[in-house]
Amino acid sequence: MSRDVSELPFRRAVGSTARGFETERADPAGHHVRLDAAVKRYGRTTALAGVDLEVEPGRFLVLLGRSGSGKSTIARVLGGVERLDGGALHLGGQLVEDRMRHLPPERRDLAMVFQDYALWPHLSAHGNVAYALRRRRLSAAETRMRAHEALDRVGLARLADRYPHQLSGGEQQRVALARAVVARPRLLLFDEPLSNLDADLREHLRVEIATLARECGATSVYITHDQAEAFALADEIAVMDSGRLVQVAPPEQVYHRPASPFVARFTGLAGELAGLVLAVSQSQAHVRVGDWVVPGQALGVRAGDAARVLIRPAATRLLPPQPTGSEGTLPGTVVDVAYRGRGYDHVVATPVGSLSAVFDGQPHPRGALVHVQVRPEGALVYPEEESRASRSSSGGDASKLTAVTLDTDAVAYRP
Ligand code: ADP
């Protein structure tokens, strides 16, 4: 994510909640968000190459993509600190942005939470939260009470008088969260808010963000490059690649029916096998891979096609060595084993390629002979050319990510 462009003007938008009114809204419903054919260029770089996106009121949308894919640009356009070069943005049915029109951030009824917290250093935690209420016509006592309640909601009431430099990173982000929701904006924008935090804190705050955003009824747009975070938080995931949205769907659909090999790779694979499609029936393809046959979901392949089988980790299972192989099982040797708390992830070298994150409750030592079962629900069969094209457009990043796996329980296949 580029940091240079998200500096001061955006920070001024933090906590801004007014729609030009000074009174409190009775209904806390979220904005309906609609981007039409949004184009944004920076010199010769096209950051948004015609993005159509719709988010229903109160829904939680996660924008997922690697660095530089255009996620922050979308957030900045929604936040009103970046102008569009083409297309239009509607919030709550109102045209707020096109080449002719620009509604300033403070009149969009939104709040933003950043990776680096962006608190006012000269204000206490309480002062930061109260500042977001400045446009509401509230008495001093009421402002104090509302700010206190919001801080209490994130577990920080007792630290209300501390200044940002006297708070840990996690505490600062909680203040930022309280500040974002205190005035009940219609849209919450989150730009990688957990990136600077330790793993255990990330998980805690993730749950708090999910709960608070839904409680306050706002529509949420959340940016991350972390697939596990995206799957855990989202009502819908929008996957971005090079300034385009390549799939917008609920997490289950992105996982089970990725729109392209790029999406499949970016959202976690155990490995890839090259083969030849023997037959396709009822959307299931049977693919010859070396001396074995692997069944999978036929995604645009026909009998006789050269194909690539992209395998989800949750669809693999480790078996003891089998006397005779059956369809969907491959022999192999364990080359690595890693303890994961609930059990063990194995890397298995098979004669046709390596598979990682093959789970079993018991460890199998390095060098052990095993079989890997691949269930067809999580074996995604794409035409070889499509798969190759997506690999080159996605650069080195995505192929590295094949080793990154989702928590197998988060989106598990049910046999
Ligand atoms: P992401 O949030 O997915 O990391 P960004 O939206 O920040 O991506 O950036 C998308 C593309 O636009 C990148 O190629 C980035 O280098 C470029 N970009 C973003 N902001 C600017 C800017 N102010 N000036 C020039 N190029 C920019």
Side-chain angles (χ1 to χ4, degrees), residues 1-6 40-48 63-76 82 191-192 223-225 240 242-243:
M1 188 193 60
S2 62
R3 300 299 308 141
D4 49 336
V5 285
S6 57
K40 178 69 196 175
R41 294 185 202 91
Y42 297 104
R44 268 184 280 171
T45 304
T46 301
L48 301 181
L63 280 170
L64 174 67
R66 65 198 165 98
S67 178
S69 58
K71 307 181 295 295
S72 293
T73 303
I74 290 191
R76 290 196 297 271
E82 202 70 88
D191 195 348
E192 307 248 6
I223 288 170
T224 184
H225 62 273
M240 287 203 78
S242 309

mmCIF file of all heavy atoms in Angstrom, residues 1-6 40-48 63-76 82 191-192 223-225 240 242-243, ligand 1:
data_model
loop_
_atom_site.group_PDB
_atom_site.id
_atom_site.type_symbol
_atom_site.label_atom_id
_atom_site.label_comp_id
_atom_site.label_asym_id
_atom_site.label_seq_id
_atom_site.Cartn_x
_atom_site.Cartn_y
_atom_site.Cartn_z
ATOM 1 N N MET A 1 0.850 -1.186 0.000
ATOM 2 C CA MET A 1 0.000 0.000 0.000
ATOM 3 C C MET A 1 0.884 1.233 0.000
ATOM 4 O O MET A 1 1.849 1.313 0.729
ATOM 5 C CB MET A 1 -0.867 -0.034 1.244
ATOM 6 C CG MET A 1 -1.905 1.038 1.235
ATOM 7 S SD MET A 1 -2.648 1.191 2.863
ATOM 8 C CE MET A 1 -1.221 1.585 3.833
ATOM 9 N N SER A 2 0.566 2.206 -0.811
ATOM 10 C CA SER A 2 1.385 3.401 -0.797
ATOM 11 C C SER A 2 0.929 4.305 0.332
ATOM 12 O O SER A 2 -0.253 4.509 0.539
ATOM 13 C CB SER A 2 1.256 4.123 -2.142
ATOM 14 O OG SER A 2 -0.068 4.514 -2.327
ATOM 15 N N ARG A 3 1.873 4.846 1.064
ATOM 16 C CA ARG A 3 1.513 5.666 2.217
ATOM 17 C C ARG A 3 1.463 7.135 1.866
ATOM 18 O O ARG A 3 0.770 7.902 2.491
ATOM 19 C CB ARG A 3 2.542 5.468 3.345
ATOM 20 C CG ARG A 3 2.620 4.065 3.816
ATOM 21 C CD ARG A 3 1.290 3.599 4.380
ATOM 22 N NE ARG A 3 0.789 4.534 5.381
ATOM 23 C CZ ARG A 3 -0.490 4.840 5.480
ATOM 24 N NH1 ARG A 3 -1.374 4.354 4.633
ATOM 25 N NH2 ARG A 3 -0.888 5.655 6.418
ATOM 26 N N ASP A 4 2.261 7.523 0.831
ATOM 27 C CA ASP A 4 2.447 8.940 0.576
ATOM 28 C C ASP A 4 1.148 9.698 0.338
ATOM 29 O O ASP A 4 0.977 10.821 0.770
ATOM 30 C CB ASP A 4 3.382 9.120 -0.618
ATOM 31 C CG ASP A 4 2.958 8.260 -1.781
ATOM 32 O OD1 ASP A 4 2.285 7.233 -1.540
ATOM 33 O OD2 ASP A 4 3.286 8.596 -2.918
ATOM 34 N N VAL A 5 0.200 9.065 -0.344
ATOM 35 C CA VAL A 5 -1.001 9.775 -0.736
ATOM 36 C C VAL A 5 -2.088 9.760 0.318
ATOM 37 O O VAL A 5 -3.103 10.403 0.174
ATOM 38 C CB VAL A 5 -1.566 9.188 -2.029
ATOM 39 C CG1 VAL A 5 -0.733 9.612 -3.211
ATOM 40 C CG2 VAL A 5 -1.655 7.703 -1.913
ATOM 41 N N SER A 6 -1.881 9.014 1.375
ATOM 42 C CA SER A 6 -2.974 8.939 2.350
ATOM 43 C C SER A 6 -2.654 9.769 3.576
ATOM 44 O O SER A 6 -2.948 9.409 4.683
ATOM 45 C CB SER A 6 -3.211 7.486 2.741
ATOM 46 O OG SER A 6 -2.037 6.944 3.234
ATOM 47 N N LYS A 40 -9.184 5.871 -12.423
ATOM 48 C CA LYS A 40 -8.260 6.794 -11.764
ATOM 49 C C LYS A 40 -6.865 6.556 -12.300
ATOM 50 O O LYS A 40 -6.392 5.418 -12.339
ATOM 51 C CB LYS A 40 -8.274 6.563 -10.245
ATOM 52 C CG LYS A 40 -7.318 7.447 -9.486
ATOM 53 C CD LYS A 40 -7.762 8.900 -9.516
ATOM 54 C CE LYS A 40 -6.643 9.845 -9.105
ATOM 55 N NZ LYS A 40 -7.069 11.255 -9.251
ATOM 56 N N ARG A 41 -6.237 7.642 -12.760
ATOM 57 C CA ARG A 41 -4.858 7.511 -13.254
ATOM 58 C C ARG A 41 -3.933 8.409 -12.454
ATOM 59 O O ARG A 41 -4.322 9.510 -12.048
ATOM 60 C CB ARG A 41 -4.779 7.954 -14.732
ATOM 61 C CG ARG A 41 -5.545 7.051 -15.656
ATOM 62 C CD ARG A 41 -5.356 7.444 -17.118
ATOM 63 N NE ARG A 41 -6.478 6.915 -17.885
ATOM 64 C CZ ARG A 41 -7.594 7.569 -18.124
ATOM 65 N NH1 ARG A 41 -7.741 8.815 -17.697
ATOM 66 N NH2 ARG A 41 -8.575 7.006 -18.797
ATOM 67 N N TYR A 42 -2.721 7.900 -12.240
ATOM 68 C CA TYR A 42 -1.655 8.746 -11.698
ATOM 69 C C TYR A 42 -0.581 8.782 -12.769
ATOM 70 O O TYR A 42 0.126 7.790 -12.933
ATOM 71 C CB TYR A 42 -1.074 8.147 -10.427
ATOM 72 C CG TYR A 42 -2.050 8.022 -9.279
ATOM 73 C CD1 TYR A 42 -2.599 6.785 -8.950
ATOM 74 C CD2 TYR A 42 -2.419 9.136 -8.532
ATOM 75 C CE1 TYR A 42 -3.489 6.663 -7.895
ATOM 76 C CE2 TYR A 42 -3.312 9.017 -7.483
ATOM 77 C CZ TYR A 42 -3.840 7.789 -7.173
ATOM 78 O OH TYR A 42 -4.726 7.671 -6.128
ATOM 79 N N GLY A 43 -0.480 9.856 -13.514
ATOM 80 C CA GLY A 43 0.471 9.893 -14.624
ATOM 81 C C GLY A 43 0.193 8.734 -15.561
ATOM 82 O O GLY A 43 -0.924 8.586 -16.052
ATOM 83 N N ARG A 44 1.197 7.886 -15.765
ATOM 84 C CA ARG A 44 0.978 6.762 -16.692
ATOM 85 C C ARG A 44 0.449 5.514 -15.994
ATOM 86 O O ARG A 44 0.191 4.503 -16.618
ATOM 87 C CB ARG A 44 2.275 6.450 -17.443
ATOM 88 C CG ARG A 44 2.335 7.219 -18.763
ATOM 89 C CD ARG A 44 3.561 6.860 -19.553
ATOM 90 N NE ARG A 44 4.737 7.574 -19.041
ATOM 91 C CZ ARG A 44 5.977 7.337 -19.427
ATOM 92 N NH1 ARG A 44 6.222 6.383 -20.280
ATOM 93 N NH2 ARG A 44 6.978 8.047 -18.952
ATOM 94 N N THR A 45 0.322 5.586 -14.663
ATOM 95 C CA THR A 45 -0.219 4.431 -13.924
ATOM 96 C C THR A 45 -1.742 4.507 -13.876
ATOM 97 O O THR A 45 -2.294 5.532 -13.483
ATOM 98 C CB THR A 45 0.310 4.427 -12.473
ATOM 99 O OG1 THR A 45 1.725 4.438 -12.514
ATOM 100 C CG2 THR A 45 -0.185 3.214 -11.712
ATOM 101 N N THR A 46 -2.381 3.420 -14.280
ATOM 102 C CA THR A 46 -3.837 3.368 -14.141
ATOM 103 C C THR A 46 -4.149 2.611 -12.857
ATOM 104 O O THR A 46 -3.979 1.398 -12.785
ATOM 105 C CB THR A 46 -4.487 2.653 -15.349
ATOM 106 O OG1 THR A 46 -4.124 3.383 -16.522
ATOM 107 C CG2 THR A 46 -6.000 2.616 -15.224
ATOM 108 N N ALA A 47 -4.560 3.334 -11.837
ATOM 109 C CA ALA A 47 -4.832 2.696 -10.534
ATOM 110 C C ALA A 47 -6.198 2.028 -10.533
ATOM 111 O O ALA A 47 -6.371 0.965 -9.932
ATOM 112 C CB ALA A 47 -4.740 3.727 -9.419
ATOM 113 N N LEU A 48 -7.179 2.631 -11.191
ATOM 114 C CA LEU A 48 -8.497 2.007 -11.345
ATOM 115 C C LEU A 48 -8.846 2.012 -12.824
ATOM 116 O O LEU A 48 -8.871 3.068 -13.465
ATOM 117 C CB LEU A 48 -9.579 2.776 -10.568
ATOM 118 C CG LEU A 48 -9.382 2.919 -9.060
ATOM 119 C CD1 LEU A 48 -10.543 3.690 -8.434
ATOM 120 C CD2 LEU A 48 -9.231 1.544 -8.388
ATOM 121 N N LEU A 63 -12.126 -5.495 0.408
ATOM 122 C CA LEU A 63 -11.361 -5.404 -0.837
ATOM 123 C C LEU A 63 -10.047 -6.131 -0.610
ATOM 124 O O LEU A 63 -9.247 -5.726 0.237
ATOM 125 C CB LEU A 63 -11.055 -3.940 -1.160
ATOM 126 C CG LEU A 63 -12.162 -3.120 -1.793
ATOM 127 C CD1 LEU A 63 -11.764 -1.651 -1.810
ATOM 128 C CD2 LEU A 63 -12.436 -3.602 -3.213
ATOM 129 N N LEU A 64 -9.847 -7.206 -1.350
ATOM 130 C CA LEU A 64 -8.665 -8.054 -1.172
ATOM 131 C C LEU A 64 -7.820 -8.007 -2.437
ATOM 132 O O LEU A 64 -8.334 -8.195 -3.543
ATOM 133 C CB LEU A 64 -9.127 -9.500 -0.900
ATOM 134 C CG LEU A 64 -8.051 -10.580 -0.828
ATOM 135 C CD1 LEU A 64 -7.149 -10.386 0.385
ATOM 136 C CD2 LEU A 64 -8.681 -11.975 -0.770
ATOM 137 N N GLY A 65 -6.532 -7.755 -2.259
ATOM 138 C CA GLY A 65 -5.645 -7.756 -3.425
ATOM 139 C C GLY A 65 -4.234 -7.512 -2.964
ATOM 140 O O GLY A 65 -4.008 -7.036 -1.847
ATOM 141 N N ARG A 66 -3.283 -7.820 -3.881
ATOM 142 C CA ARG A 66 -1.910 -7.598 -3.462
ATOM 143 C C ARG A 66 -1.606 -6.100 -3.507
ATOM 144 O O ARG A 66 -2.391 -5.313 -4.035
ATOM 145 C CB ARG A 66 -0.956 -8.409 -4.329
ATOM 146 C CG ARG A 66 -0.922 -7.996 -5.749
ATOM 147 C CD ARG A 66 -0.330 -9.090 -6.609
ATOM 148 N NE ARG A 66 -0.614 -8.858 -7.998
ATOM 149 C CZ ARG A 66 0.257 -8.296 -8.844
ATOM 150 N NH1 ARG A 66 1.440 -7.932 -8.444
ATOM 151 N NH2 ARG A 66 -0.081 -8.110 -10.101
ATOM 152 N N SER A 67 -0.460 -5.747 -2.989
ATOM 153 C CA SER A 67 -0.046 -4.356 -2.923
ATOM 154 C C SER A 67 -0.026 -3.754 -4.330
ATOM 155 O O SER A 67 0.453 -4.382 -5.273
ATOM 156 C CB SER A 67 1.348 -4.320 -2.294
ATOM 157 O OG SER A 67 1.790 -3.016 -2.258
ATOM 158 N N GLY A 68 -0.570 -2.556 -4.464
ATOM 159 C CA GLY A 68 -0.556 -1.866 -5.749
ATOM 160 C C GLY A 68 -1.721 -2.208 -6.650
ATOM 161 O O GLY A 68 -1.802 -1.728 -7.781
ATOM 162 N N SER A 69 -2.672 -3.010 -6.180
ATOM 163 C CA SER A 69 -3.770 -3.423 -7.062
ATOM 164 C C SER A 69 -4.878 -2.373 -7.132
ATOM 165 O O SER A 69 -5.794 -2.499 -7.942
ATOM 166 C CB SER A 69 -4.335 -4.780 -6.608
ATOM 167 O OG SER A 69 -4.790 -4.719 -5.277
ATOM 168 N N GLY A 70 -4.821 -1.354 -6.271
ATOM 169 C CA GLY A 70 -5.800 -0.262 -6.376
ATOM 170 C C GLY A 70 -6.774 -0.165 -5.211
ATOM 171 O O GLY A 70 -7.706 0.643 -5.237
ATOM 172 N N LYS A 71 -6.563 -0.953 -4.169
ATOM 173 C CA LYS A 71 -7.513 -0.990 -3.042
ATOM 174 C C LYS A 71 -7.609 0.370 -2.342
ATOM 175 O O LYS A 71 -8.706 0.886 -2.125
ATOM 176 C CB LYS A 71 -7.074 -2.050 -2.012
ATOM 177 C CG LYS A 71 -6.825 -3.424 -2.588
ATOM 178 C CD LYS A 71 -6.422 -4.414 -1.519
ATOM 179 C CE LYS A 71 -5.100 -4.127 -0.833
ATOM 180 N NZ LYS A 71 -3.907 -4.202 -1.687
ATOM 181 N N SER A 72 -6.451 0.932 -1.997
ATOM 182 C CA SER A 72 -6.480 2.212 -1.271
ATOM 183 C C SER A 72 -7.066 3.321 -2.136
ATOM 184 O O SER A 72 -7.699 4.239 -1.618
ATOM 185 C CB SER A 72 -5.076 2.625 -0.832
ATOM 186 O OG SER A 72 -4.613 1.734 0.137
ATOM 187 N N THR A 73 -6.823 3.221 -3.423
ATOM 188 C CA THR A 73 -7.383 4.246 -4.309
ATOM 189 C C THR A 73 -8.911 4.223 -4.218
ATOM 190 O O THR A 73 -9.552 5.279 -4.153
ATOM 191 C CB THR A 73 -6.911 4.020 -5.763
ATOM 192 O OG1 THR A 73 -5.483 4.020 -5.762
ATOM 193 C CG2 THR A 73 -7.421 5.103 -6.682
ATOM 194 N N ILE A 74 -9.495 3.040 -4.189
ATOM 195 C CA ILE A 74 -10.958 2.960 -4.038
ATOM 196 C C ILE A 74 -11.375 3.605 -2.716
ATOM 197 O O ILE A 74 -12.303 4.409 -2.662
ATOM 198 C CB ILE A 74 -11.451 1.495 -4.100
ATOM 199 C CG1 ILE A 74 -11.293 0.977 -5.526
ATOM 200 C CG2 ILE A 74 -12.914 1.397 -3.647
ATOM 201 C CD1 ILE A 74 -11.975 -0.344 -5.792
ATOM 202 N N ALA A 75 -10.657 3.280 -1.628
ATOM 203 C CA ALA A 75 -11.019 3.858 -0.327
ATOM 204 C C ALA A 75 -10.899 5.378 -0.371
ATOM 205 O O ALA A 75 -11.748 6.088 0.175
ATOM 206 C CB ALA A 75 -10.123 3.276 0.761
ATOM 207 N N ARG A 76 -9.872 5.868 -1.029
ATOM 208 C CA ARG A 76 -9.685 7.325 -1.076
ATOM 209 C C ARG A 76 -10.762 8.002 -1.916
ATOM 210 O O ARG A 76 -11.199 9.111 -1.616
ATOM 211 C CB ARG A 76 -8.293 7.663 -1.613
ATOM 212 C CG ARG A 76 -7.181 7.302 -0.623
ATOM 213 C CD ARG A 76 -5.867 7.966 -0.977
ATOM 214 N NE ARG A 76 -5.356 7.540 -2.263
ATOM 215 C CZ ARG A 76 -4.558 6.495 -2.447
ATOM 216 N NH1 ARG A 76 -4.173 5.776 -1.421
ATOM 217 N NH2 ARG A 76 -4.131 6.168 -3.653
ATOM 218 N N GLU A 82 -9.784 11.767 -3.082
ATOM 219 C CA GLU A 82 -9.206 11.513 -4.397
ATOM 220 C C GLU A 82 -10.324 11.712 -5.410
ATOM 221 O O GLU A 82 -11.441 11.240 -5.184
ATOM 222 C CB GLU A 82 -8.690 10.072 -4.426
ATOM 223 C CG GLU A 82 -7.660 9.771 -5.432
ATOM 224 C CD GLU A 82 -6.322 10.423 -5.115
ATOM 225 O OE1 GLU A 82 -5.519 9.816 -4.389
ATOM 226 O OE2 GLU A 82 -6.100 11.528 -5.621
ATOM 227 N N ASP A 191 -8.575 0.926 6.294
ATOM 228 C CA ASP A 191 -7.435 0.700 5.398
ATOM 229 C C ASP A 191 -6.359 -0.082 6.139
ATOM 230 O O ASP A 191 -5.562 0.502 6.877
ATOM 231 C CB ASP A 191 -6.900 2.044 4.882
ATOM 232 C CG ASP A 191 -5.966 1.865 3.692
ATOM 233 O OD1 ASP A 191 -5.552 0.711 3.422
ATOM 234 O OD2 ASP A 191 -5.646 2.863 3.030
ATOM 235 N N GLU A 192 -6.348 -1.384 5.990
ATOM 236 C CA GLU A 192 -5.376 -2.282 6.638
ATOM 237 C C GLU A 192 -5.218 -1.964 8.130
ATOM 238 O O GLU A 192 -4.081 -1.804 8.606
ATOM 239 C CB GLU A 192 -4.015 -2.186 5.935
ATOM 240 C CG GLU A 192 -4.092 -2.409 4.434
ATOM 241 C CD GLU A 192 -3.434 -3.693 3.983
ATOM 242 O OE1 GLU A 192 -3.004 -4.482 4.838
ATOM 243 O OE2 GLU A 192 -3.380 -3.916 2.767
ATOM 244 N N ILE A 223 -10.078 -2.802 3.660
ATOM 245 C CA ILE A 223 -8.989 -3.139 2.737
ATOM 246 C C ILE A 223 -7.973 -4.051 3.405
ATOM 247 O O ILE A 223 -7.548 -3.785 4.528
ATOM 248 C CB ILE A 223 -8.279 -1.842 2.320
ATOM 249 C CG1 ILE A 223 -9.209 -1.075 1.389
ATOM 250 C CG2 ILE A 223 -6.946 -2.101 1.656
ATOM 251 C CD1 ILE A 223 -8.712 0.284 1.113
ATOM 252 N N THR A 224 -7.600 -5.089 2.702
ATOM 253 C CA THR A 224 -6.521 -5.941 3.217
ATOM 254 C C THR A 224 -5.859 -6.716 2.072
ATOM 255 O O THR A 224 -6.460 -6.909 1.015
ATOM 256 C CB THR A 224 -7.034 -6.927 4.288
ATOM 257 O OG1 THR A 224 -5.940 -7.663 4.815
ATOM 258 C CG2 THR A 224 -8.056 -7.902 3.727
ATOM 259 N N HIS A 225 -4.609 -7.137 2.323
ATOM 260 C CA HIS A 225 -3.975 -8.053 1.371
ATOM 261 C C HIS A 225 -3.941 -9.456 1.985
ATOM 262 O O HIS A 225 -3.389 -10.371 1.397
ATOM 263 C CB HIS A 225 -2.547 -7.578 1.067
ATOM 264 C CG HIS A 225 -1.680 -7.559 2.284
ATOM 265 N ND1 HIS A 225 -1.608 -6.472 3.128
ATOM 266 C CD2 HIS A 225 -0.899 -8.504 2.831
ATOM 267 C CE1 HIS A 225 -0.807 -6.762 4.138
ATOM 268 N NE2 HIS A 225 -0.360 -7.998 3.981
ATOM 269 N N MET A 240 -9.209 -7.787 -6.119
ATOM 270 C CA MET A 240 -8.686 -6.825 -7.101
ATOM 271 C C MET A 240 -7.402 -7.324 -7.718
ATOM 272 O O MET A 240 -6.579 -7.950 -7.053
ATOM 273 C CB MET A 240 -8.389 -5.495 -6.422
ATOM 274 C CG MET A 240 -9.618 -4.720 -6.066
ATOM 275 S SD MET A 240 -9.266 -2.952 -5.906
ATOM 276 C CE MET A 240 -9.172 -2.423 -7.624
ATOM 277 N N SER A 242 -4.628 -5.468 -10.550
ATOM 278 C CA SER A 242 -4.235 -4.424 -11.502
ATOM 279 C C SER A 242 -5.363 -3.444 -11.813
ATOM 280 O O SER A 242 -5.686 -3.215 -12.986
ATOM 281 C CB SER A 242 -3.751 -5.067 -12.814
ATOM 282 O OG SER A 242 -2.799 -6.047 -12.548
ATOM 283 N N GLY A 243 -5.969 -2.894 -10.782
ATOM 284 C CA GLY A 243 -6.973 -1.848 -10.990
ATOM 285 C C GLY A 243 -8.324 -2.349 -11.435
ATOM 286 O O GLY A 243 -9.195 -1.555 -11.821
HETATM 287 P P1 ADP B 1 -3.084 -0.846 -2.949
HETATM 288 O O1 ADP B 1 -3.882 -0.099 -1.933
HETATM 289 O O2 ADP B 1 -3.811 -2.018 -3.512
HETATM 290 O O3 ADP B 1 -1.719 -1.184 -2.472
HETATM 291 P P2 ADP B 1 -3.025 1.693 -4.348
HETATM 292 O O4 ADP B 1 -4.455 2.035 -4.587
HETATM 293 O O5 ADP B 1 -2.324 2.381 -3.222
HETATM 294 O O6 ADP B 1 -2.871 0.116 -4.224
HETATM 295 O O7 ADP B 1 -2.191 1.993 -5.679
HETATM 296 C C1 ADP B 1 -2.610 1.551 -6.976
HETATM 297 C C2 ADP B 1 -1.567 1.985 -7.992
HETATM 298 O O8 ADP B 1 -1.541 3.404 -8.088
HETATM 299 C C3 ADP B 1 -0.150 1.569 -7.641
HETATM 300 O O9 ADP B 1 0.531 1.268 -8.837
HETATM 301 C C4 ADP B 1 0.421 2.791 -6.995
HETATM 302 O O10 ADP B 1 1.836 2.842 -7.141
HETATM 303 C C5 ADP B 1 -0.251 3.907 -7.778
HETATM 304 N N1 ADP B 1 -0.433 5.133 -6.981
HETATM 305 C C6 ADP B 1 -1.201 5.257 -5.889
HETATM 306 N N2 ADP B 1 -1.163 6.517 -5.438
HETATM 307 C C7 ADP B 1 -0.343 7.208 -6.256
HETATM 308 C C8 ADP B 1 0.103 8.579 -6.320
HETATM 309 N N3 ADP B 1 -0.308 9.504 -5.447
HETATM 310 N N4 ADP B 1 0.941 8.915 -7.304
HETATM 311 C C9 ADP B 1 1.354 8.010 -8.217
HETATM 312 N N5 ADP B 1 0.960 6.713 -8.230
HETATM 313 C C10 ADP B 1 0.129 6.313 -7.259
#
